[in-house]
Amino acid sequence: VYAGMSDRVRKRWSTPELVIVIDEAGFASGDLFDLLYSVGELARADVPRGMDGVTFVFLGDFLQLPPIVNRN
């Protein structure tokens, strides 16, 4: 389950009440959020309620330029 994930990453993601702050979120694509969720699910596989308890705080001006997306 943890292939390639360091002990440090697993330990940080396993914190019971984890808060992740993302600045300039308006520039992030949906792929970033999918990746964060996937990593979180893997790292928190041993946490009884999985992604419950993880709080995401998004900062930025969402009326600025849209995210840069690779169209390939």
Side-chain angles (χ1 to χ4, degrees):
V1 170
Y2 300 123
M5 190 176 296
S6 72
D7 290 337
R8 187 175 133 242
V9 170
R10 268 198 315 277
K11 184 177 179 180
R12 286 184 130 179
W13 274 91
S14 296
T15 304
E17 296 298 324
L18 178 65
V19 177
I20 297 175
V21 179
I22 300 176
D23 191 14
E24 296 297 341
F27 288 103
S29 69
D31 292 339
L32 172 67
F33 304 118
D34 290 340
L35 178 65
L36 284 170
Y37 190 83
S38 296
V39 168
E41 279 190 321
L42 288 173
R44 294 176 67 86
D46 296 334
V47 176
R49 295 183 345 210
M51 290 294 283
D52 285 356
V54 177
T55 302
F56 288 92
V57 178
F58 301 103
L59 305 170
D61 184 350
F62 292 94
L63 298 177
Q64 284 182 333
L65 301 171
I68 298 171
V69 178
N70 185 357
R71 304 238 188 255
N72 292 337

